[in-house]
């Protein structure tokens, strides 16, 4: 009997070892990601090329088109991920099953079988390239539209393409540590994996019900038809500030009620562009995140801002209560162009004569909150995820670590991407950027050593931030660090500051995007070389379309971004570019020392760094003091402090509308209609995005380009209904159209 038991026990032990090897380190991955692969599934199909490149081009055009609008709706890759499913199945039905270029290296079949999930993933990678904005477009807008300087097309295009491709080099350097280990699990990818699984399961239509595809088409058609109201016929519903109607001649009531220029009490927008413009789709926000964002928004807008304003901190009453503008000491707008010399540097004598730049107190506080968010994120991750982070990082960087099951499958079935592929792109990019900095120095202002310093910052922070994002889904922004560093080292040069920021910060962001896509490819078992090709080609196509669209709009729309010359009801006010321009003035032209340093009025804003570091520590202490109170650990100060990071350019009406919709779907629908939410929630979001985008473009091409407008009270905008909301309330300050106190 004993002899029988021994081999049985040994077999059981062997089975346990095998099971342990197949187990994922992270439980969420174990439950979500399938451990199977079919290497025979076709990937680089005709359908994939048509739909992938089509999605990339459409999303690039649409997102750049919306970039300059008052409500800059952003169409995400998830919208395309859902929209291409019926098109893929349709192509599988109608395309001929025929081989072309048979016998040659380029042989292909237009219809190799049913539309499969690997094709779908590749299409989504192309779509993600188009959905991810080309941040360097801000530089084009700032130079051409705000600084009113000439910018040749070639250096502009080179800046845009190098900022996007530089991230490939950093991604190649760190992919072994941030992609292959199971400890680096990239939580947001699990949403994509789940959605792919749901979209490719065989779905039977229930009696009286609808399939996801039918529901998507109905939502798309409905939102397309509806948007003619907020987009053209009845634009007032983009921001209904009804409180202003109660006492239209009262500055206080206007300040309280305006959804775009004030505190927006009671303001709401019945318009998907208003709801999702700055914060993304509210249907994709979990209730935990929604509550934290709402708390942060309420605290900043309805507690901190009124207290600072009515206590007149930093002479708050001299300026509008809510504004991203730059002002003189007397409350009038600051003429930035007057303090720039012929070399595009700060004219110190003129600056001394004109006086220092002032901001609205709200704008100053939002900068402080940016400082606080950065330090709070670091301390929060260290305290709440520090031990896990250390274990996962140690496990990921150990040489003799156990290989993750998904990595083993990929290495067994597919060829890896050689490191030299990444290095060639990296070396060529750095060489090209140095060439730009030398040959076009009068345009970009950034010296060659500034390029190398920006690269050094990106190299140091990419693995650090990468580990944090890969394990906690929290991404601290480096834009403040890059602006601060170059602003102190090389002040009075606005374009140098902007270029340094995009090379130091955006290249790291791009690297993490590429790495995250590689991890998605690993989960979905996509051949790495095919994934690499899709990322490179998708990025190249996206840059070309973004640049071309921006250049076209700058030529097509008279006075683009110039609110002083645009019609009062114009949509082309460029709020995001305005904030970027103001930042280039604050950090680049004037410099942080004159704003936040020993020479500046706003030096006390630096205390927000300490505030951000202390806040998570207090929560951590509370969790230790009251371990039974589980709700305390849900207080997430990086989210609370960073809730209003998009304000400005985002307005109060964007937040109030977003919070209401996010709470309805994240709490009530999720809790009481769980099956409906599971089946239709993301599909609804994608349909609303697509329908709104298509109608907006149609309105512009058919009516907007020809200047055909509709004038009636239903198209009066917030600046008309709440005309006194931006008025100063300090004694003796004179502003056109405002009462003098």
């Amino acid at each position: 009997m004993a002899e029988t038991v021994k081999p049985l026990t040994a077999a059981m032990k062997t089975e346990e070892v095998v099971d342990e090897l197949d187990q994922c380190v992270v439980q969420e991955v174990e439950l979500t990601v399938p451990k199977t692969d079919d290497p025979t599934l076709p990937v680089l199909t005709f359908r994939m090329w048509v739909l992938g490149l089509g999605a990339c081009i459409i999303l690039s055009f649409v997102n750049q088109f919306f970039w300059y609008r008052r409500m800059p709706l952003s169409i995400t890759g998830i919208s395309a991920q859902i929209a291409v499913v019926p098109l893929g199945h349709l192509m599988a039905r109608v395309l001929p099953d025929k081989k072309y270029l048979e016998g040659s290296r380029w042989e292909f079949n237009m219809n190799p079988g049913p539309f499969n999930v690997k094709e779908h993933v590749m299409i989504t990678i192309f779509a993600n390239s188009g959905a991810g904005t080309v941040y360097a477009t801000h530089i084009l807008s700032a130079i051409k539209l705000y600084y009113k300087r000439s910018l040749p097309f070639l250096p502009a295009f080179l800046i845009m393409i190098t900022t996007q491709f530089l991230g490939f080099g950093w991604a190649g350097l760190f992919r072994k540590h941030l992609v292959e280990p199971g400890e680096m699990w990239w939580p947001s990818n699990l949403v994509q994996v789940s959605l792919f699984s749901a979209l490719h399961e065989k779905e039977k239509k229930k009696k009286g019900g609808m399939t996801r595809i039918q529901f998507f088409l109905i939502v798309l058609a409905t939102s397309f038809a509806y948007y003619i109201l907020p987009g053209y016929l009845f634009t007032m519903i983009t921001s209904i500030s009804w409180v202003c109607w109660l006492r239209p001649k009262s500055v206080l009531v206007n300040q309280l009620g305006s959804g775009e220029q004030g505190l927006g009490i009671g303001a709401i927008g019945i318009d998907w562009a208003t709801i999702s413009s700055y914060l993304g789709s509210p249907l994709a926000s979990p209730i935990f995140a929604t509550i934290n964002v709402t708390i942060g928004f309420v605290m900043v807008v309805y507690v901190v801002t009124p207290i600072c304003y009515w206590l007149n901190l930093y002479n708050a009453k001299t300026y509008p209560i809510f504004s991203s503008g730059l002002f003189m000491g007397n409350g009038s707008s600051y003429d930035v162009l007057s303090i720039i010399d012929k070399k595009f540097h700060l004219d110190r004598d003129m600056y001394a004569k004109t006086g220092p730049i002032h901001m609205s107190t709200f704008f100053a506080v939002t900068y402080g909150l940016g400082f606080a968010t950065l330090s709070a994120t670091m301390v929060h991750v260290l305290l709440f995820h520090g031990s896990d982070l250390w274990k996962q990082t140690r496990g990921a960087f150990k040489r003799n670590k156990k290989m993750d099951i998904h990595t083993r499958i990929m290495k067994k079935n597919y060829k890896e991407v050689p490191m030299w592929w990444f290095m060639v792109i990296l070396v060529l990019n750095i060489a090209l950027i140095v060439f730009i900095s030398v040959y076009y120095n009068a345009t970009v202002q950034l010296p060659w050593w500034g390029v190398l310093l920006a690269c050094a910052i990106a190299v140091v922070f990419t693995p650090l931030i990468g580990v944090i994002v890969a394990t906690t889904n929290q991404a601290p922004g480096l834009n403040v660090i890059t602006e601060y560093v170059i602003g102190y080292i090389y002040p009075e040069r606005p374009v140098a500051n902007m270029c340094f920021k995009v090379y130091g910060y955006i290249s790291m962001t791009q690297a993490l995007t590429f790495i995250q896509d590689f991890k998605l490819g690993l989960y979905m078992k996509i051949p790495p070389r095919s994934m690499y090709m899709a990322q490179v080609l998708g990025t190249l196509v996206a840059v070309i379309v973004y640049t071309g669209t921006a250049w076209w709009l700058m030529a097509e729309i008279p006075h683009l971004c110039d609110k002083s010359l645009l019609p009062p009801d114009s949509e082309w006010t460029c709020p995001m570019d305005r904030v970027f321009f103001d930042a280039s003035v604050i950090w680049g032209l004037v410099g942080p020392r004159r704003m936040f340093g020993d020479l500046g009025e706003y030096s006390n804003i630096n205390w927000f760094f300490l505030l951000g570091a202390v806040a998570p520590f207090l929560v951590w202490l509370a969790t230790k003091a009251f371990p039974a109170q589980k709700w305390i650990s849900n207080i997430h100060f990086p989210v609370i402090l960073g809730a209003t990071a998009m304000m400005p350019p985002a307005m109060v009406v964007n937040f109030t509308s977003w919070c209401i919709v996010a709470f309805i779907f994240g709490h009530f629908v999720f809790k009481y209609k769980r099956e409906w939410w599971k089946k239709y929630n993301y599909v609804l979001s994608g349909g609303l995005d697509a329908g709104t985008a298509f109608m907006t473009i149609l309105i512009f091409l058919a009516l907007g380009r020809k200047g055909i407008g509709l004038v009636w009270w239903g198209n009066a905008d917030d600046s008309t209904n709440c005309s006194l909301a931006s008025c100063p309330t300090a004694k003796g300050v004179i502003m056109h159209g405002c009462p003098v106190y």
Side-chain angles (χ1 to χ4, degrees):
M1 187 73 176
E3 291 177 5
T4 310
V5 171
K6 283 181 181 177
L8 182 62
T9 306
M12 288 173 65
K13 286 182 178 178
T14 304
E15 192 176 321
E16 285 175 9
V17 171
V18 172
D19 287 345
E20 189 179 337
L21 285 171
D22 287 346
Q23 284 257 329
C24 295
V25 178
V26 178
Q27 191 64 25
E28 289 87 343
V29 178
E30 175 72 20
L31 295 172
T32 307
V33 182
K35 299 174 185 174
T36 56
D37 180 33
D38 182 0
T40 64
L41 284 177
V43 178
L44 301 178
T45 65
F46 178 77
R47 295 184 298 245
M48 187 282 296
W49 287 111
V50 172
L51 295 177
L53 288 172
C56 181
I57 291 168
I58 291 171
L59 262 66
S60 300
F61 172 78
V62 169
N63 282 338
Q64 184 58 51
F65 180 87
F66 274 100
W67 186 289
Y68 294 117
R69 292 175 68 84
R70 186 167 56 94
M71 298 294 180
L73 178 68
S74 178
I75 311 298
T76 63
I78 289 179
S79 300
Q81 182 181 354
I82 296 168
V84 298
V85 174
L87 297 175
H89 288 303
L90 177 65
M91 293 178 79
R93 284 199 193 109
V94 302
L95 288 178
D97 181 5
K98 182 181 176 182
K99 290 184 179 180
Y100 293 84
L101 304 176
E102 197 167 353
S104 73
R105 184 182 175 185
W106 309 103
E107 178 183 321
F108 72 97
N109 190 332
M110 287 189 73
N111 194 352
F115 182 62
N116 68 72
V117 68
K118 292 195 178 186
E119 293 175 277
H120 195 184
V121 174
M122 290 287 286
I123 293 166
T124 304
I125 296 301
F126 272 107
N128 286 343
S129 299
T133 56
V134 179
Y135 194 79
T137 310
H138 282 310
I139 299 178
L140 274 67
S141 305
I143 295 174
K144 287 176 67 70
L145 303 177
Y146 287 104
Y147 284 114
K148 310 290 186 183
R149 299 277 173 146
S150 63
L151 179 64
F153 181 82
L154 183 58
F157 180 72
L158 291 177
I159 289 171
M160 292 185 72
I161 203 165
T162 50
T163 56
Q164 296 301 101
F165 274 92
L166 187 58
F168 271 112
W170 315 140
L173 286 175
F174 302 111
R175 68 193 165 111
K176 289 281 185 186
H177 308 301
L178 295 175
V179 176
E180 292 184 1
E183 293 86 356
M184 303 293 111
W185 60 290
W186 297 88
S188 60
N189 273 340
L190 299 188
V191 177
Q192 293 274 65
V193 172
S194 300
L195 191 53
F196 280 122
S197 300
L199 291 171
H200 285 270
E201 68 182 7
K202 291 186 178 178
E203 186 180 4
K204 292 183 179 178
K205 180 182 175 183
K206 294 180 181 179
K207 189 175 181 180
M210 282 184 288
T211 65
R212 286 185 178 90
I213 303 305
Q214 289 173 326
F215 183 76
F216 175 79
L217 294 174
I218 290 171
V219 173
L220 187 149
T222 305
S223 63
F224 177 81
Y226 173 78
Y227 193 72
I228 191 67
L229 292 175
Y232 186 73
L233 297 177
F234 196 25
T235 59
M236 184 190 290
I237 61 177
T238 60
S239 177
I240 304 173
S241 304
W242 58 270
V243 171
C244 294
W245 305 342
L246 302 178
R247 291 189 64 188
K249 298 299 183 183
S250 168
V251 174
L252 176 61
V253 172
N254 276 239
Q255 288 177 328
L256 294 175
S258 174
E260 296 184 11
Q261 307 167 86
L263 303 184
I265 295 174
I268 191 170
I270 314 174
D271 167 22
W272 184 247
T274 299
I275 295 167
S276 62
S277 285
Y278 295 97
L279 296 170
S281 173
L283 277 62
S285 176
I287 190 63
F288 151 74
T290 300
I291 291 172
N292 277 279
V293 167
T294 305
I295 291 171
F297 163 68
V298 170
M299 288 294 295
V300 171
V301 174
Y302 297 122
V303 179
V304 176
T305 298
I307 289 173
C308 291
Y309 187 82
W310 279 292
L311 288 179
N312 204 27
L313 295 180
Y314 294 121
N315 297 314
K317 293 183 179 181
T318 305
Y319 317 109
I321 191 170
F322 182 95
S323 173
S324 63
L326 304 177
F327 300 96
M328 305 269 288
N330 62 3
S332 59
S333 293
Y334 203 100
D335 184 5
V336 172
L337 301 184
S338 69
I339 59 170
I340 302 174
D341 64 17
K342 293 179 180 179
K343 294 182 179 180
F344 208 167
H345 298 166
L346 178 70
D347 187 329
R348 295 185 182 182
D349 294 335
M350 196 64 190
Y351 181 74
K353 182 180 177 182
T354 308
I357 286 176
H358 299 269
M359 301 181 280
S360 71
T361 303
F362 178 84
F363 198 20
V365 168
T366 59
Y367 268 119
L369 290 170
F371 300 166
T373 303
L374 183 65
S375 56
T377 302
M378 295 297 189
V379 174
H380 178 91
V381 170
L382 183 66
L383 293 175
F384 288 91
H385 304 283
S387 59
D388 293 336
L389 203 59
W390 173 245
K391 289 176 188 174
Q392 291 166 345
T393 306
R394 190 174 57 182
F397 283 80
K398 257 197 266 182
R399 289 188 178 181
N400 298 319
K401 59 183 177 291
K402 181 186 73 174
M403 190 179 289
D404 179 62
I405 175 66
H406 300 289
T407 305
R408 289 209 312 272
I409 292 172
M410 292 294 287
K411 287 185 178 294
K412 178 184 175 183
N413 292 342
Y414 308 105
K415 290 182 180 179
E416 287 190 31
V417 179
M419 178 61 78
W420 69 267
W421 289 14
F422 291 99
M423 291 301 99
V424 166
I425 288 181
L426 177 61
V427 172
L428 288 177
N429 254 278
I430 293 177
L432 185 56
I433 297 168
V434 171
F435 167 76
I436 295 168
S437 69
V438 174
Y439 191 79
Y440 293 108
N441 187 260
T443 300
V444 301
Q445 298 183 337
L446 189 65
W448 64 268
W449 57 261
V451 174
L452 300 182
L453 179 60
C455 290
I457 290 176
V459 168
V460 170
F461 279 96
T462 296
L464 299 178
I465 305 299
V467 170
I468 294 172
V469 180
T471 54
T472 69
N473 215 28
Q474 297 298 317
L478 284 183
N479 54 327
V480 171
I481 294 175
T482 52
E483 289 169 327
Y484 236 128
V485 168
I486 196 66
Y488 264 106
I489 296 175
Y490 205 55
E492 303 178 5
R493 295 164 176 84
V495 184
N497 193 279
M498 293 187 283
C499 290
F500 187 88
K501 178 165 66 171
V502 295
Y503 286 127
Y505 167 54
I506 297 303
S507 69
M508 183 210 75
T509 304
Q510 280 294 104
L512 298 183
T513 301
F514 295 141
I515 290 171
Q516 183 169 335
D517 280 348
F518 264 113
K519 190 69 177 187
L520 177 63
L522 183 139
Y523 284 153
M524 300 304 298
K525 313 303 181 293
I526 306 299
R529 296 187 177 196
S530 299
M531 176 69 74
Y532 176 90
M533 176 275 302
Q535 289 179 316
V536 171
L537 189 57
T539 302
L540 179 61
V541 170
V543 170
I544 292 171
V545 176
Y546 269 98
T547 309
T549 305
W551 221 262
W552 169 64
L553 288 172
M554 288 178 190
E556 180 73 20
I557 301 169
H559 313 303
L560 179 65
C561 302
D562 192 340
K563 293 175 77 171
S564 64
L565 298 175
L566 285 168
D569 59 346
S570 175
E571 285 287 333
W572 302 99
T573 55
C574 316
M576 297 180 77
D577 286 293
R578 176 72 209 194
V579 172
F580 186 87
F581 164 71
D582 290 341
S584 75
V585 174
I586 291 168
W587 298 102
L589 182 63
V590 176
R593 190 182 177 196
R594 291 189 180 90
M595 294 297 296
F596 302 105
D598 57 327
L599 301 179
E601 181 183 354
Y602 301 98
S603 58
N604 286 332
I605 296 294
N606 289 298
W607 287 104
F608 275 87
F609 280 114
L610 180 61
L611 171 67
V614 170
F617 183 69
L618 297 178
V619 176
W620 180 77
L621 287 178
T623 59
K624 299 299 180 185
F626 308 101
Q629 304 297 322
K630 300 297 182 186
W631 62 271
I632 296 176
S633 61
N634 286 330
I635 300 174
H636 203 291
F637 267 106
V639 178
I640 292 173
L641 293 169
T644 54
M646 289 303 296
M647 296 180 73
M651 298 163 285
V652 174
V653 68
N654 299 116
F655 272 78
T656 54
S657 306
W658 185 91
C659 290
I660 291 169
V661 175
F663 192 76
I664 289 171
F665 281 88
H667 177 67
F668 290 107
V669 177
F670 181 78
K671 184 175 181 180
Y672 298 110
K673 296 287 183 181
R674 181 72 60 92
E675 286 303 312
W676 187 97
W677 186 95
K678 182 179 178 182
K679 187 174 183 179
Y680 296 124
N681 185 67
Y682 293 115
V683 180
L684 174 62
S685 177
L688 290 169
D689 278 349
T692 302
F694 294 151
M695 177 54 81
T696 305
I697 294 168
L698 179 62
I699 291 171
F700 171 72
L701 294 176
L703 302 168
R705 290 181 69 188
K706 299 173 183 177
I708 302 173
L710 192 62
V711 180
W712 71 296
W713 70 266
N715 280 354
D717 64 2
D718 193 84
S719 62
T720 303
N721 293 324
C722 303
S723 58
L724 303 182
S726 59
C727 289
T729 56
K731 291 182 179 179
V733 178
I734 300 173
M735 184 177 288
H736 178 71
C738 295
V740 180
Y741 288 85

